[in-house]
Amino acid sequence: NQKLKIDRFQVDLKTEIINKPHPYVNPFRMDLTGTLYFQNDVGIFLSGIYGHDNYNYRFVDKGKQIFVGITFDIFPPMEIK
């Protein structure tokens, strides 16, 4: 019956700009993800995307997406002494 303790966190920011995009496509895209990992290497994440859609190029010109989920780190950081 141990309490879950936060072990580490991770923040990722990715940006992308399309050179010479189609006139109806937003050339900018930003992807921001924050993850909290607990001592058992299970974590929760929150991710947000703004801008063009990489998977539906020219079909969806711009948009906003939010994701929430659970993740597991199969290669956790090692401490070397």
Side-chain angles (χ1 to χ4, degrees):
N1 292 337
Q2 295 178 353
K3 293 183 180 180
L4 286 178
K5 293 182 182 177
I6 295 175
D7 183 46
R8 62 192 184 280
F9 68 92
Q10 179 176 340
V11 177
D12 295 318
L13 174 64
K14 299 173 189 169
T15 58
E16 179 180 309
I17 297 176
I18 299 174
N19 187 22
K20 300 179 184 176
H22 187 273
Y24 297 111
V25 174
N26 182 355
F28 180 74
R29 178 182 171 93
M30 181 177 70
D31 185 347
L32 178 64
T33 303
T35 308
L36 288 175
Y37 288 101
F38 301 102
Q39 288 180 336
N40 59 1
D41 296 321
V42 173
I44 56 173
F45 70 89
L46 175 65
S47 179
I49 299 173
Y50 171 78
H52 65 264
D53 188 353
N54 283 343
Y55 301 106
N56 294 315
Y57 185 65
R58 296 185 188 235
F59 295 109
V60 179
D61 61 343
K62 61 182 175 179
K64 300 173 193 167
Q65 301 172 9
I66 295 178
F67 304 96
V68 177
I70 298 172
T71 186
F72 181 75
D73 192 359
I74 58 172
F75 297 109
M78 295 184 342
E79 183 177 334
I80 299 174
K81 293 183 179 183

